[in-house]
Amino acid sequence: MNAQKLTISGRVWIHSANNASLGKGKIKILEGIIKFGSLRQTALDMKMSYQQAWKIVNELNSDFENEVVILQRGGRDGGQAIVTEYGLKLLKNYNSIQKEFDIFLQNHSENLNKDF
Amino acid sequence: MNAQKLTISGRVWIHSANNASLGKGKIKILEGIIKFGSLRQTALDMKMSYQQAWKIVNELNSDFENEVVILQRGGRDGGQAIVTEYGLKLLKNYNSIQKEFDIFLQNHSENLNKDF
């Protein structure tokens, strides 16, 4: 075994039927929407423009089979954003895959260093 | 279960102690070197410039604890390239992790679609 440790990292994406991708960044947007109930606040929190966040959410809605986020216009704070039941299911699945992937990476990191 | 299938994809990287990364692209370079015995031929095959391939190989050599590729200058075809024993060990480990990761992704893709 070696003094200088090697590590393993990785990323996973869920893809729609037309191969659009849902990864870490978009998942963070969905979690922001759940937390703040607002796309504007989520964009602020993620230091991205509202336009950028809006574009991402709209692409998710059109690329995946069902609506992922409902955007309600108007009101004092520029309208509510709600993650749909379908969106919540995607989020739950992504996070569960990511959790098992973290264990996979951890185990393989340990094995890797045994070989060096 | 849904008609429109969701899929999962992913990528893995091995990192050196100073966090330099070894992923799919660099692994392909190592495999090219093994196949052709030449960095020039490998670069040609991968449609990248020799300079680019040379830079990547040199970074691998300085970032990882041991030399990954030996470049021998001179000779009719511009010198041989040899993947070291250390490099072969990295390659073998990467490919074995990737193989298990493919199974991971396959299994989780199937489970994912059961939930939709």
Side-chain angles (χ1 to χ4, degrees), chain B residues 86-102:
Chain B
Y86 179 80
L88 290 174
K89 221 195 248 184
L90 284 175
L91 179 64
K92 189 197 76 186
N93 273 280
Y94 181 90
N95 283 338
S96 128
I97 293 163
Q98 181 63 57
K99 203 170 158 187
E100 290 192 47
F101 187 36
D102 287 340

Side-chain angles (χ1 to χ4, degrees), chain A residues 103-114:
Chain A
I103 296 168
F104 175 97
L105 292 172
Q106 178 65 35
N107 289 341
H108 283 276
S109 284
E110 281 164 21
N111 286 337
L112 177 64
N113 281 285
K114 279 180 201 149

Side-chain angles (χ1 to χ4, degrees), chain A residues 73-103:
Chain A
R73 281 164 183 279
R76 197 182 286 183
D77 54 359
Q80 264 202 312
I82 298 156
V83 178
T84 64
E85 204 180 316
Y86 179 80
L88 290 174
K89 222 196 245 182
L90 284 175
L91 179 65
K92 189 197 75 185
N93 273 279
Y94 182 91
N95 283 338
S96 128
I97 294 163
Q98 181 62 58
K99 203 171 158 185
E100 290 193 46
F101 187 36
D102 287 340
I103 296 168

Side-chain angles (χ1 to χ4, degrees), chain A residues 4 7 9 15 65 93 115, chain B residues 4 7 9 15 65 93 115:
Chain A
Q4 282 199 278
T7 51
S9 75
H15 299 274
E65 193 177 17
N93 273 279
D115 200 29
Chain B
Q4 281 198 281
T7 51
S9 74
H15 299 274
E65 194 178 15
N93 273 280
D115 200 30

Side-chain angles (χ1 to χ4, degrees), chain B:
Chain B
M1 207 183 297
N2 218 301
Q4 281 198 281
K5 236 177 127 57
L6 297 166
T7 51
I8 305 175
S9 74
R11 291 197 58 183
V12 284
W13 294 268
I14 291 179
H15 299 274
S16 63
N18 70 348
N19 212 30
S21 62
L22 172 65
K24 222 164 87 174
K26 292 176 189 169
I27 287 293
K28 234 187 131 191
I29 292 180
L30 296 185
E31 288 174 335
I33 291 170
I34 292 168
K35 186 175 172 190
F36 300 114
S38 148
L39 185 58
R40 198 168 294 278
Q41 193 56 44
T42 300
L44 259 176
D45 186 61
M46 290 183 70
K47 295 176 186 20
M48 59 166 65
S49 71
Y50 177 75
Q51 284 71 19
Q52 214 179 337
W54 187 89
K55 190 167 172 276
I56 289 170
V57 162
N58 271 275
E59 280 171 357
L60 279 176
N61 280 345
S62 56
D63 286 329
F64 280 83
E65 194 178 15
N66 296 297
E67 211 171 14
V68 177
V69 174
I70 298 170
L71 294 175
Q72 294 174 328
R73 283 165 182 279
R76 196 182 287 183
D77 54 357
Q80 266 201 314
I82 299 156
V83 178
T84 63
E85 205 181 315
Y86 179 80
L88 290 174
K89 221 195 248 184
L90 284 175
L91 179 64
K92 189 197 76 186
N93 273 280
Y94 181 90
N95 283 338
S96 128
I97 293 163
Q98 181 63 57
K99 203 170 158 187
E100 290 192 47
F101 187 36
D102 287 340
I103 297 168
F104 175 97
L105 291 172
Q106 179 63 35
N107 289 341
H108 282 276
S109 283
E110 282 165 20
N111 286 338
L112 177 65
N113 281 283
K114 279 180 201 149
D115 200 30
F116 280 87

